[in-house]
Amino acid sequence: MSKILSLQPEKMQRRRSSKTPKQPLQVLQKGQTDLSAWQKEGRTDSEKSVQNHQSPKDQKNESKQQDSLEQALSFFEKVQDRVSLKKSSALQEHLAAVETVALQRGLPPEGFDILLDLALSGKLADTVNTRILKTLVPASVIPEDAVVSAVSWLCVGKCSGTVQVLFLRWLITMFDFIDGKEQLHALYGVFFFFLQDDRMCPYVCHLLYMLTRKENVKPFRVRNLLDLQMKMGMQSHLQALLSLYKLFCPELVAISLPKKTKTYFKNSEGPWKAAINAIKRRNSPVSQVPFLGTAPPQSRKRKWNRQLVLPASSSDRNNLEVHRQKDCGDLRSESFPLEQLQTFSQLLHNIHRLEFPSRMGSVLTNPLLLHYLNCVKDESVYLRLYYWMGQILQEECTWCVADNSEYEEEFKDFLETAYKTECFLQEGFSSCEEFLYKSLPLWDGFCCRSQVLGLVSWIPLSSFPDIKSNLYDPLFQLFLTSSLYFKCSVLESMRELLQNWLNWHTIYLDSESDSQGQSLNTTLSGIVDAVAELIQFVGGISTVALQLEDNATFLLHFILNFYETVCDMYLKYDLPLLIMPPAGVFYRALLSMDSANLNQLCYIMYRYRANLVAAKQNELSKKKILQFKFSSQTYQEYNQYIVAMVGCLWTSSVFQKDTHPQGLCMDDELLKKTAVQEFKSGFNIVYHPAMMGYAILFLKQAWPDATTLDFSLIKGKTWNWYLEYLYAQGLKGLKLFIESSISRVSQASRNKTENMQA
């Protein structure tokens, strides 16, 4: 504590020595410029671009604001005694000038040292101090020295508790704007001391959560946190810090803590949120360099667009590093600066020297750090990321929070970034999963549709006990009343979810050793149940959707895509499960008017046959200890479908031999009443509505001079030529199905005899 207190007199003495009557304000760092230089030469490119698009009148007003800001900062720097706001017109005028500039353009770095010291020194009333803190919105960065000086005023205790809490909220909100964090890390013990204050405790926990490194976790700090928890009860902010401590040093935290990520901290950015967004909107439409000097622009929103490229120039950065190393004892001499990480080669050579940023938002848009994140086994990193994402998703959801409707595009960009990150890492985030479970009942199915359904496809497999009530039920309610496009989007999302689950099963479970057979068997049972529940859900909504949408061809295509994955689960993913499509899907596909859907159904049935035959062979050989036997009902349903398909497409006997309860079996008397002459052969590969076009083209090529089309000519050798013609048109699914499921021995014998006679 004495080290912190000693900073204040030194800082004040340095400021007094820098003052001269005829010179503008001096700065505290060698690499910085004075306020006048900032006004004339040191603006960011975005500000210059904005100015170039302003009218002469606007430029004149801006020039006046700059002059008034310089005068105001000079006035505030000279304040020594307590000044009454009501009695001092000068204070009112200069305070209004600072508020105007701060809320419209942001404050320069040089102004924060003056205003923070004034607000926390207790020289002015709390009303004025509160107004000052609420105006501290940066135009570029916040100097770390100014924050350290402000923390020293907290130790002196000159300001009220209300101002102290507001300062901590400001510090949490502006954490990413601070140009360095090493001196703040050195003050970790000072911040930890403030946990004793009940009002400051939640915000100090939030700040410590962002600052904590493994070396900060000490036994005495764990004891203090446990004592506070005994005194205050199970507070979410204390649980957050204890969870982070337990991840770093599990041997020091013996108590059990909730495993699921929750909203640990309250939103601290309320007073500054609107100002930050307004300044970004002012700069972003015409700027070529993004606000705050960040990397390529992606969003106007502040949290998830934070990059690692610092806004200081190279010379300023070097000077800042020299000063920082002198003051902090070169605490990061072994670390590799993240802003210098540009290539994959640098990542490989410095992977042991990297350290994640205090806030994890910048990781989402940096492929190199995502590679690093994929390699790191430290759960604390994921805890930080999940906390950050969970906080953003809850606070910024446009359909859960009414005030956020105007930020739909920014929120959509963030969801897209989160989805792309999950695709890159090939795993879902628990924070996104919890967000979906909480927000889907309130979702209208339209806002951010593709992004939300993309996140749905990465829900982890381990969550299957809760997935019906949290996912399937809300989606089903939307599904019934939604458009055709939404139904297709949901089906595609379910297909991707199934694909991700099967990939996870293949990668992680197949690597288990034989010695873990019992635990694997239990785990495999759970996976089979979860996948079966997903397939049954999709089968149900598919049947309903085909009824509602009048058997739309486009919809049937997405349904068959899903079952194309289902039919190969045993051979391709080694999952002992096969579920046939419901009759409401199968027969609609069999009688489809579209040849692509019929061809796809043939391929699906071919793959079902290959998987069932392989399962039966493995069952008979008994080579595998962990062998799940398929039920006889699966084989029976498959055989019923095969009889229906062969009778429909080949033997023209579907109306007589189909044995499925929901099949096509009908009496001849009933069929005669339809007045269709060739009703028995009405759905074979010649007369089928999906194949009629191919038959017409074949007849025109075979008998180009014929004036009428006689479909009865397609028989015998012509039937075989017609089959070859169909195969040449790309109907590979039909070819595989016929060759695997239809016996043509007698026809092959006749062909062989005819060839020998020739």
Side-chain angles (χ1 to χ4, degrees), residues 18-27 33-37 39-40 70 74 77 114:
S18 66
K19 295 180 186 178
T20 58
K22 296 184 180 181
Q23 292 188 6
L25 301 176
Q26 299 296 319
V27 297
T33 59
D34 58 31
L35 181 60
S36 300
Q39 293 171 344
K40 297 176 182 178
E70 183 178 4
S74 299
E77 189 182 28
I114 299 171

Side-chain angles (χ1 to χ4, degrees), residues 6-54:
S6 65
L7 291 175
Q8 188 62 34
E10 177 184 351
K11 193 70 172 286
M12 295 175 66
Q13 181 179 1
R14 187 167 59 208
R15 188 182 303 141
R16 283 196 299 268
S17 64
S18 66
K19 295 180 186 178
T20 58
K22 296 184 180 181
Q23 292 188 6
L25 301 176
Q26 299 296 319
V27 297
L28 305 179
Q29 290 294 339
K30 180 179 178 181
Q32 294 175 337
T33 59
D34 58 31
L35 181 60
S36 300
W38 170 81
Q39 293 171 344
K40 297 176 182 178
E41 301 176 359
R43 296 181 191 155
T44 62
D45 292 340
S46 61
E47 289 174 324
K48 292 178 181 178
S49 178
V50 170
Q51 187 179 22
N52 291 336
H53 288 76
Q54 290 178 339

Side-chain angles (χ1 to χ4, degrees), residues 153-202:
W153 279 112
L154 289 184
C155 301
V156 175
K158 293 288 186 179
C159 56
S160 65
T162 302
V163 175
Q164 290 177 340
V165 170
L166 187 60
F167 167 73
L168 289 175
R169 292 178 61 190
W170 174 85
L171 183 57
I172 293 168
T173 303
M174 303 298 173
F175 193 81
D176 287 339
F177 293 85
I178 302 173
D179 62 2
K181 306 294 190 304
E182 288 309 315
Q183 295 184 52
L184 290 179
H185 280 292
L187 299 180
Y188 190 92
V190 176
F191 291 120
F192 195 89
F193 173 79
F194 289 123
L195 287 174
Q196 306 301 323
D197 189 300
D198 291 344
R199 295 182 61 185
M200 298 171 64
C201 183

Side-chain angles (χ1 to χ4, degrees), residues 648-746:
C648 180
L649 299 176
W650 194 262
T651 63
S652 300
S653 59
V654 63
F655 298 114
Q656 292 77 31
K657 294 186 177 181
D658 192 352
T659 59
H660 195 281
Q662 302 178 38
L664 301 176
C665 185
M666 298 182 191
D667 294 333
D668 288 348
E669 295 299 326
L670 178 62
L671 291 170
K672 290 178 181 179
K673 292 180 180 180
T674 62
V676 177
Q677 295 181 357
E678 300 293 337
F679 60 82
K680 291 185 178 181
S681 59
F683 289 99
N684 65 20
I685 58 175
V686 176
Y687 293 96
H688 195 289
M691 309 301 293
M692 184 75 75
Y694 292 106
I696 293 174
L697 292 176
F698 173 77
L699 289 174
K700 288 183 177 180
Q701 292 183 20
W703 290 276
D705 299 330
T707 57
T708 59
L709 298 176
D710 186 2
F711 293 99
S712 63
L713 295 175
I714 304 179
K715 60 183 178 181
K717 286 186 177 181
T718 308
W719 179 278
N720 295 332
W721 296 341
Y722 177 60
L723 281 181
E724 295 299 327
Y725 173 78
L726 293 178
Y727 299 161
Q729 302 306 309
L731 300 178
K732 295 182 179 179
L734 179 67
K735 177 182 179 182
L736 292 171
F737 172 76
I738 291 176
E739 291 178 350
S740 63
S741 301
I742 297 177
S743 176
R744 304 182 64 199
V745 177
S746 57

Side-chain angles (χ1 to χ4, degrees), residues 51-153:
Q51 187 179 22
N52 291 336
H53 288 76
Q54 290 178 339
S55 64
K57 182 178 179 181
D58 293 336
Q59 293 182 11
K60 184 177 180 180
N61 292 335
E62 184 175 340
S63 178
K64 289 182 179 179
Q65 289 181 356
Q66 293 172 2
D67 294 338
S68 62
L69 176 62
E70 183 178 4
Q71 295 174 7
L73 293 178
S74 299
F75 170 82
F76 286 132
E77 189 182 28
K78 297 174 183 177
V79 173
Q80 297 295 332
D81 301 323
R82 192 175 185 87
V83 181
S84 173
L85 179 63
K86 294 182 179 180
K87 297 180 180 180
S88 175
S89 59
L91 177 60
Q92 297 177 10
E93 179 184 352
H94 292 310
L95 183 59
V98 172
E99 288 176 332
T100 301
V101 175
L103 298 180
Q104 291 183 5
R105 298 188 293 111
L107 295 175
E110 293 75 10
F112 286 91
D113 184 70
I114 299 171
L115 295 175
L116 280 173
D117 283 1
L118 180 64
L120 298 175
S121 63
K123 297 177 182 178
L124 303 176
D126 280 359
T127 305
V128 181
N129 294 332
T130 300
R131 289 177 61 181
I132 291 176
L133 287 175
K134 289 182 178 181
T135 63
L136 297 181
V137 180
S140 56
V141 295
I142 300 173
E144 186 182 17
D145 283 343
V147 179
V148 172
S149 176
V151 174
S152 69
W153 279 112

